[in-house]
Amino acid sequence: MAKAIQLAVLKVLMIIIFAGWIAVWIQKPTNMWTRKWKGAEDSSRYTVFGYYGLNFAVYTFPLISLTIIGLVYLNLVSKEPPRSRPARSATIGFSNPVLVNSFLGILSSIEILAVFLFVLFLAWTYYARISNDFKKLMPVKSLNLDLWQLRYLRVATRFGLLAEACLALLLLPILRGLALFQILGIQFEASVRYHIWLGTSMILFATIHGASTLFIWGVSHHIQDEMWRWQKTGRIYLAGEIALVTGLVIWITSLPQIRRRRFEIFYYTHHLYIVFLIFFLFHAGDRHFYSVFAGIFLFGLDKLLRIVQSRPETCVLSARIFLLPGKAIELTLPKDPRLKYTPTSVIYMKIPSISKFQWHPFSITSSSNLDDHTMSVVVKCNGGWTRTFYDVIQAELDSDPGSMSCMPVSVEGPYGPASLDFLRHDSLLMIAGGAGITPFLSILKEIASVNSSRYRFPTQVQLIYVVKKSQDICLLNSVSSLLLNQSSTQLSLKLKVYVTQEETSDATVRGLVNDLSLVRTVNFSTECSNYAVHGPESPIWMAAMAALSSIKFMVSLICFNHIFLPHEKKSAVTEKILPSEKKAAKEKTPSSVVDLLLLASFIIALACNAFLASILRWKRLKKDIRPLSPKHGKATEHGSVETGSPVEEHELHFGGRPDFQDIFSEFPNETGGSDIGVLVCGPVSMKESVASLCQLKSQGLNIGSRGKKTYFSFHSLNFTL
């Protein structure tokens, strides 16, 4: 009861803080806010915190405090006992697809509402700013502009504020350890598309802002004088141009055509965000930078804590190579027995022998309830990095299969959903396409391993698996015992396989699983590392680090400003008596110096926290270190899986795709469930087809078995290989 009250209080507190932060952004473009804000800055200028303390408290700290409270909330949720399956809520439809579009993707009603409100906010901000500008147009001293040119210059300037609003949210969706979106049940892989939308919008507005400004300079014959200026105070135009060019390079190399075919180019150019943010600071100034600083602050802290977490390196225990043209490998890694993760969790791996910088995500296919000391992932060799990895293992196998050298690997994560509510339905219909089967492997193992008296997972599960070639079924190898011998578990699992690019055959699922279960297991040496994967620190630990970083940043900034900007310590009385002296002193300090002090404070705060986190991490690892003792031996080959039940309950179809309309109609009668969870993972076209069907089902009265209404709850999963 006490924990429920604590959770309720934290929820209310987060709502109040978020509403207050939104209210600030809504009032920001108004004349009333501008007048009061200038007065508040003047009043705080000669306090110990200065005007920068006020900017940090109003614009930056609300999101940081929201993250801290959210992490405390997630820590309490993770310690809650497993809940029974909740009654179907009247609001469950908000998570179901409302709009299915090949360009926008699959959107729920909440996502559509959020996008609409954000667009409305951008429109309001632009209207409020530009209407005030047109009422009191002031000529630019350095430019001799006509009225239309002056108006157009103001239009271009205000587009820069829209880019600033997008930048304020840009980095929040890609946080992992300090993930704000996890509070809403949105995982990193799903929230990346919000990052893409915000980034595209930001670049669009910034390009209009920059190109229009250059156009006005060109028509007024001042382009040579203005575009190379690095002013002592005010907007630094050259810095803005560098930031815009850098942002365009990042955006262009992020396009799907480049990202999918030349991932290395996308990966390395994306690190130019550091250049972009630094020159944005010099261009916009520290006051504007505080408006977007929360996301940058959290991202920098999140990045450093993830680097600390991935140290030291662990090692690969074994690899199971599927002896098929598809080239797939199942890797086994050591983990701490206390590390627990949820199904569909993802880890990020870096193998220094292949690349010292590249990190790649992989879906975990094992269950922490079944495997206390190991975790496994499947690597499908499609891209350049994965093919190189396969070739390295194959080359070492061919050279000396009896003695495999140690393979160091850095691991970050696992990251997974905080709640398993997406599995708490009467029955599950899981639809996978190709490599999209990987998240379902961990789900099936989790459902089969839990005690039904403690967990209320569904026992009726149907898996629809669509592949191009029958050899792709080899990815089911790790759950072959569940498929072929279900008598030992309470799980009732029915598999329907659709092979789209092969003709009709007399083969059965049992026969294919046995025929394609030939794998080669390779054990690696563990001499290079005795460390297991410990996973990320607890949410309460992360919250403490975020709070400490905020304090260190403000302390550093206050010290730097009082040391390097001594004129700021003048009293308010002096300000009234000598206003001209104050103005002269203010003009002596270049704006870039103030920006550098902010940047230095940020770096010091993060560096101190990274150092502290490293010490605590090493102490924990030294205390908990356990020797790794995998079974060593030569590479071995495993043949078919022997099972007991001779009855073939699964279906195998050749030469066509599944008819989802028939599947959705038959499934309620086959399982008898009224609340059905539909989980889909695979190609975008498959997700859109299933989402459209769920949308139609939710709009009409769908009558299932025994005349009961049947509700389909749609859940889109993401896989990484």
Side-chain angles (χ1 to χ4, degrees):
M1 185 64 180
K3 187 173 288 187
I5 295 175
Q6 291 174 349
L7 291 173
V9 170
L10 291 176
K11 281 183 180 179
V12 172
L13 193 56
M14 286 189 290
I15 292 173
I16 292 174
I17 293 174
F18 183 70
W21 185 70
I22 294 296
V24 168
W25 276 89
I26 293 175
Q27 296 180 60
K28 189 179 176 183
T30 62
N31 283 327
M32 181 186 69
W33 176 267
T34 302
R35 289 194 304 270
K36 291 186 175 181
W37 186 253
K38 287 182 178 178
E41 276 196 338
D42 291 337
S43 301
S44 63
R45 181 181 297 275
Y46 299 109
T47 64
V48 66
F49 293 102
Y51 75 89
Y52 41 84
L54 179 66
N55 278 268
F56 182 81
V58 174
Y59 290 117
T60 301
F61 191 70
L63 276 184
I64 297 176
S65 62
L66 191 65
T67 302
I68 294 171
I69 297 171
L71 289 169
V72 175
Y73 175 83
L74 290 175
N75 188 68
L76 290 175
V77 169
S78 64
K79 294 182 179 179
E80 277 193 312
R83 295 183 298 168
S84 299
R85 186 183 304 134
R88 185 182 186 276
S89 170
T91 61
I92 198 170
F94 286 108
S95 64
N96 276 341
V98 172
L99 175 65
V100 181
N101 183 273
S102 58
F103 178 72
L104 296 175
I106 304 168
L107 299 179
S108 67
S109 56
I110 291 180
E111 290 174 317
I112 294 175
L113 178 62
V115 171
F116 172 76
L117 291 177
F118 184 68
V119 172
L120 192 64
F121 161 74
L122 292 179
W124 153 250
T125 299
Y126 192 79
Y127 169 77
R129 291 290 191 185
I130 205 67
S131 59
N132 291 333
D133 289 343
F134 283 177
K135 288 177 184 177
K136 47 179 181 180
L137 281 173
M138 299 292 292
V140 182
K141 295 180 181 180
S142 60
L143 302 175
N144 185 19
L145 300 179
D146 297 335
L147 180 60
W148 74 270
Q149 294 172 345
L150 189 59
R151 285 176 176 269
Y152 190 67
L153 183 62
R154 301 311 300 168
V155 168
T157 301
R158 295 314 179 189
F159 268 105
L161 292 179
L162 300 186
E164 179 184 300
C166 295
L167 180 58
L169 301 174
L170 179 64
L171 298 175
L172 298 180
I174 55 174
L175 298 176
R176 297 178 194 169
L178 302 174
L180 278 171
F181 282 81
Q182 194 174 8
I183 302 171
L184 304 175
I186 303 173
Q187 294 309 299
F188 173 78
E189 291 76 18
S191 61
V192 166
R193 65 174 176 173
Y194 308 141
H195 173 73
I196 296 173
W197 294 349
L198 289 167
T200 302
S201 302
M202 182 193 72
I203 291 299
L204 173 63
F205 295 139
T207 302
I208 296 174
H209 166 68
S212 299
T213 303
L214 290 174
F215 172 73
I216 292 300
W217 290 345
V219 297
S220 61
H221 307 291
H222 291 87
I223 191 168
Q224 292 291 337
D225 299 329
E226 297 294 327
M227 72 178 299
W228 303 110
R229 287 181 61 193
W230 189 285
Q231 305 93 298
K232 185 177 181 181
T233 60
R235 302 287 178 269
I236 299 177
Y237 300 141
L238 181 59
E241 294 154 15
I242 295 173
L244 177 59
V245 171
T246 305
L248 285 171
V249 171
I250 295 174
W251 179 77
I252 291 172
T253 55
S254 300
L255 294 174
Q257 295 84 349
I258 297 178
R259 186 179 71 248
R260 293 171 184 169
R261 298 178 182 178
R262 296 288 185 270
F263 179 82
E264 290 78 10
I265 296 177
F266 155 77
Y267 179 82
Y268 290 117
T269 55
H270 229 64
H271 286 80
L272 291 174
Y273 70 84
I274 299 174
V275 177
F276 172 82
L277 293 175
I278 290 175
F279 282 98
F280 172 82
L281 169 61
F282 288 134
H283 173 63
D286 64 324
R287 284 177 171 84
H288 281 271
F289 197 72
Y290 283 114
S291 299
V292 304
F293 188 47
I296 299 170
F297 185 91
L298 291 172
F299 177 79
L301 179 61
D302 184 76
K303 184 77 173 178
L304 281 178
L305 292 180
R306 288 191 283 114
I307 292 174
V308 171
Q309 183 224 129
S310 64
R311 301 293 188 271
E313 295 175 345
T314 183
C315 59
V316 178
L317 292 180
S318 64
R320 302 175 69 216
I321 303 177
F322 297 97
L323 303 179
L324 293 168
K327 291 187 177 181
I329 305 173
E330 184 181 33
L331 293 181
T332 300
L333 304 172
K335 81 171 185 69
D336 186 86
R338 292 167 297 182
L339 175 60
K340 300 295 181 182
Y341 50 84
T342 51
T344 72
S345 292
V346 172
I347 63 170
Y348 289 77
M349 290 199 321
K350 179 185 72 174
I351 301 180
S353 59
I354 299 177
S355 173
K356 295 184 181 298
F357 303 104
Q358 289 189 36
W359 290 85
H360 291 264
F362 297 93
S363 298
I364 298 178
T365 58
S366 56
S367 169
S368 57
N369 287 327
L370 289 175
D371 304 308
D372 288 333
H373 299 279
T374 61
M375 64 194 308
S376 60
V377 297
V378 171
V379 179
K380 191 75 163 59
C381 305
N382 292 326
W385 186 90
T386 52
R387 282 197 297 266
T388 302
F389 177 53
Y390 182 90
D391 293 339
V392 167
I393 294 181
Q394 193 65 50
E396 197 150 351
L397 256 177
D398 296 338
S399 62
D400 189 0
S403 177
M404 297 295 291
S405 60
C406 183
M407 180 172 286
V409 56
S410 297
V411 177
E412 180 193 316
Y415 304 110
S419 170
L420 292 180
D421 285 346
F422 70 100
L423 294 180
R424 306 191 197 284
H425 297 277
D426 293 335
S427 51
L428 286 181
L429 176 60
M430 303 193 300
I431 302 172
I437 191 65
T438 50
F440 296 134
L441 300 179
S442 61
I443 290 176
L444 291 175
K445 292 177 182 178
E446 187 80 10
I447 295 176
S449 67
V450 297
N451 186 343
S452 60
S453 63
R454 295 180 59 219
Y455 294 81
R456 289 297 185 92
F457 287 156
T459 56
Q460 300 289 329
V461 178
Q462 186 172 119
L463 174 60
I464 310 298
Y465 189 24
V466 185
V467 295
K468 294 180 180 179
K469 302 290 184 180
S470 58
Q471 65 190 24
D472 295 332
I473 302 177
C474 68
L475 294 180
L476 294 172
N477 180 271
S478 62
V479 292
S480 59
S481 60
L482 292 177
L483 293 171
L484 303 181
N485 188 13
Q486 299 183 36
S487 59
S488 59
T489 66
Q490 298 181 0
L491 173 65
S492 176
L493 171 62
K494 184 173 183 179
L495 172 66
K496 294 183 179 180
V497 179
Y498 292 83
V499 183
T500 60
Q501 296 185 4
E502 289 184 6
E503 297 299 326
T504 304
S505 171
D506 295 331
T508 62
V509 170
R510 180 182 300 277
L512 277 180
V513 170
N514 278 327
D515 293 342
L516 300 175
S517 292
L518 188 63
V519 297
R520 195 174 188 183
T521 301
V522 182
N523 294 316
F524 289 85
S525 169
T526 59
E527 294 177 356
C528 61
S529 174
N530 284 328
Y531 295 98
V533 178
H534 279 69
E537 303 291 348
S538 66
I540 199 72
W541 188 92
M542 303 284 280
M545 283 295 170
L548 281 174
S549 293
S550 303
I551 296 172
K552 291 173 184 175
F553 170 77
M554 279 308 304
V555 170
S556 301
L557 191 59
I558 290 170
C559 293
F560 281 147
N561 277 276
H562 281 69
I563 292 172
F564 294 100
L565 304 176
H567 66 273
E568 292 289 354
K569 295 189 288 186
K570 292 181 180 180
S571 65
V573 176
T574 306
E575 176 190 12
K576 293 179 180 178
I577 296 175
L578 301 171
S580 59
E581 181 183 338
K582 175 210 167 190
K583 183 177 181 181
K586 183 178 178 182
E587 290 177 350
K588 289 180 181 178
T589 304
S591 58
S592 57
V593 173
V594 179
D595 299 338
L596 285 173
L597 296 181
L598 186 154
L599 186 61
S601 303
F602 175 55
I603 294 173
I604 288 175
L606 294 190
C608 290
N609 258 36
F611 180 71
L612 176 61
S614 299
I615 293 176
L616 295 176
R617 182 78 173 181
W618 275 104
K619 284 186 176 181
R620 176 187 171 189
L621 292 178
K622 291 294 184 182
K623 180 180 178 181
D624 299 340
I625 189 170
R626 295 177 176 86
L628 303 179
S629 55
K631 295 180 180 179
H632 297 282
K634 297 183 178 181
T636 57
E637 294 186 4
H638 299 274
S640 62
V641 179
E642 297 296 334
T643 57
S645 176
V647 181
E648 176 67 52
E649 297 179 351
H650 307 300
E651 299 179 10
L652 182 61
H653 305 272
F654 286 87
R657 300 179 182 276
D659 187 335
F660 292 121
Q661 180 70 46
D662 290 344
I663 292 172
F664 272 67
S665 300
E666 296 172 0
F667 187 72
N669 297 320
E670 295 176 355
T671 60
S674 60
D675 181 11
I676 298 173
V678 180
L679 280 61
V680 59
C681 185
V684 175
S685 57
M686 172 184 287
K687 289 184 177 181
E688 292 175 353
S689 299
V690 176
S692 298
L693 195 53
C694 283
Q695 180 184 4
L696 293 175
K697 292 289 184 181
S698 62
Q699 291 174 352
L701 289 176
N702 186 44
I703 306 300
S705 62
R706 301 178 183 177
K708 295 187 297 184
K709 290 183 180 179
T710 304
Y711 301 96
F712 289 91
S713 300
F714 178 83
H715 304 276
S716 176
L717 303 182
N718 295 279
F719 70 95
T720 48
L721 286 174

